[in-house]
Amino acid sequence: MAFDLTNRVRPALVGFEPYDPAFTPCEVNLSANENTHPMPAVVRKAIDQALTATPLNRYPDPLANDLRDVLAARHGVTRGNIMVGNGGDEILFNLFFTFGGSGRTLVTCPPDFSEYANFAKMCEMPIVNVWRHSEDFSLDVEALIAAGKDAAMVVVTSPNNPTGNLVDHAVIQRLLDETDALILVDEAYVEFAAEGTSVVDWIADNPRLMVLRTLSKAFSCAGLRCGYLVADPSIVDMLSAIRQIYSVDVLAQAAAIAAVTERDAFAPVVADIVAERERLSLHLGNIKRLEQWPSEANFILVRVPNASRVRQRLRDEYSILVRDFSYAPGLANCLRITVGTRQENDLLVDALRDLVKEEA
């Protein structure tokens, strides 16, 4: 008889399954919103030198203070405003674990990053969903403000994943003015948006505001698993007290310091991704029966007939991998396409043009 653990597991965790992004090795991977462009040579060299010089026989600094200093200098804040984590995911979980729990509500605006809901459930934090408008995925602002008045925390994503649109600064200001909740703005993709999109400069005057950033996207470091929070020192201190020790290893810290120090080298890469996003969008717009939404991130959300079938055929017949969101509420027949290189985008457009015609 199989050993049944069901009645031994915390009730809030029953039914969870391992994270599965449905990855399949393909020649063109446009499924995970990674930076598909080559890392600048000067950055790669700096990272290689940093890794070679890093001893492995000692534990890492548990708070990653040298990296915090580099990030603080980038944003014009102090070390006390920065919390580094094993990707943005660890920070999200720690936020919900620390400030959530029974009776402390989280407000989210789906369709958005699915891990918000997953982590909140793990932490037994009630969730109120303020659904985006079905046609353009804009926020229902009045409903969001109303929900925020009874919430412990509100999460808004700008640019939003998987829809690509921004949150108006006026909405964030209203959340700060008209609610007492902690406000988290997830800016994982903000480097691909227009200058002035970020609200990280608001931190000094708004102690309830938190901004989440990552090195996984614009900085080409998805494999490092390194993200960080910019927030009031009181929030950072509390998170530092409950975090898993040594969660950011010595190699990740060393590589991240090198990447952030050489951040100016990424500007042409980001500019090229933005240009490719606009060019890709233009070509997608010429495909009949394909609907797309404007994006300020490094991906584009599209709707096509029989999206799951199209995704499967892209993978099997063209060796191109994109992300299927058809299963998600509000995203019927939607695929999310990471902006690739010029050659990758051209291959994708040619394949989609044929498949959408065949599947319509």
Side-chain angles (χ1 to χ4, degrees):
M1 181 180 295
F3 181 41
D4 185 4
L5 278 175
T6 303
N7 63 352
R8 300 170 184 258
V9 176
R10 288 178 57 187
L13 303 182
V14 173
F16 276 91
E17 297 180 357
Y19 176 71
D20 180 11
F23 174 74
T24 303
C26 285
E27 293 179 10
V28 178
N29 181 6
L30 303 178
S31 69
N33 294 347
E34 299 149 324
N35 190 325
T36 59
H37 290 46
M39 178 177 283
V42 65
V43 182
R44 182 76 239 194
K45 181 179 179 181
I47 290 177
D48 289 347
Q49 291 175 343
L51 295 179
T52 301
T54 300
L56 302 180
N57 62 317
R58 303 293 185 183
Y59 286 113
D61 177 350
L63 296 181
N65 283 319
D66 288 346
L67 176 54
R68 293 171 74 195
D69 288 341
V70 172
L71 292 167
R74 178 193 180 198
H75 293 295
V77 296
T78 69
R79 175 193 288 183
N81 292 109
I82 302 290
M83 170 78 178
V84 178
N86 188 277
D89 295 329
E90 183 197 15
I91 295 172
L92 283 169
F93 182 88
N94 286 349
L95 278 169
F96 299 164
F97 181 73
T98 303
F99 300 110
S102 178
R104 296 183 175 183
T105 301
L106 172 70
V107 176
T108 66
C109 303
D112 56 10
F113 186 39
S114 61
E115 290 304 284
Y116 301 149
N118 286 338
F119 291 156
K121 290 175 183 177
M122 291 179 188
C123 297
E124 302 182 51
M125 190 176 193
I127 304 168
V128 171
N129 292 321
V130 178
W131 287 89
R132 293 168 179 267
H133 293 295
S134 59
E135 293 185 3
D136 62 2
F137 300 116
S138 60
L139 293 175
D140 185 339
V141 176
E142 297 307 321
L144 177 61
I145 299 299
K149 291 179 179 179
D150 295 320
M153 188 182 303
V154 177
V155 178
V156 291
T157 318
S158 188
N160 186 51
N161 176 23
T163 60
N165 49 331
L166 298 172
V167 177
D168 193 301
H169 283 187
V171 175
I172 300 172
Q173 188 63 62
R174 285 192 63 187
L175 285 168
L176 291 167
D177 291 343
E178 299 178 36
T179 81
D180 192 44
L182 294 172
I183 309 300
L184 174 64
V185 182
D186 186 342
E187 294 186 347
Y189 300 94
V190 76
E191 286 89 354
F192 303 106
E195 187 175 352
T197 297
S198 176
V199 292
V200 72
D201 292 341
W202 294 18
I203 295 294
D205 298 322
N206 296 278
R208 289 187 290 111
L209 177 66
M210 306 170 290
V211 174
L212 186 65
R213 291 290 193 94
T214 182
L215 302 189
S216 295
K217 314 303 179 185
F219 282 83
S220 301
C221 291
L224 283 186
R225 306 308 304 128
C226 189
Y228 63 98
L229 186 76
V230 187
D232 187 80
S234 63
I235 293 174
V236 172
D237 288 346
M238 189 66 248
L239 292 174
S240 298
I242 62 91
R243 65 173 298 160
Q244 293 290 313
I245 59 173
Y246 306 134
S247 65
V248 184
D249 66 62
V250 290
L251 296 179
Q253 291 186 35
I257 289 170
V260 176
T261 301
E262 299 290 345
R263 59 187 176 275
D264 289 346
F266 287 103
V269 177
V270 171
D272 188 61
I273 291 172
V274 171
E276 274 301 299
R277 180 186 70 205
E278 301 311 310
R279 193 181 72 89
L280 174 60
S281 177
L282 182 65
H283 286 297
L284 291 173
N286 293 326
I287 299 177
K288 293 182 179 179
R289 292 176 289 277
L290 181 149
E291 182 182 6
Q292 64 173 310
W293 286 269
S295 174
E296 292 288 337
N298 68 333
F299 56 82
I300 297 175
L301 186 73
V302 303
R303 176 171 284 143
V304 296
N306 299 317
S308 293
R309 170 73 175 160
V310 169
R311 187 259 184 193
Q312 180 181 358
R313 292 186 64 188
L314 278 170
R315 180 194 65 194
D316 297 343
E317 299 174 26
Y318 296 88
S319 197
I320 298 174
L321 192 65
V322 299
R323 190 71 173 266
D324 184 7
F325 273 86
S326 296
Y327 64 89
L331 295 174
N333 277 325
C334 283
L335 303 174
R336 191 192 64 194
I337 301 169
T338 303
V339 178
T341 63
R342 188 180 186 91
Q343 180 182 12
E344 290 171 337
N345 294 333
D346 288 345
L347 290 170
L348 171 77
V349 169
D350 290 343
L352 273 179
R353 185 180 295 113
D354 294 338
L355 291 177
V356 171
K357 183 186 300 183
E358 294 172 13
E359 294 292 335

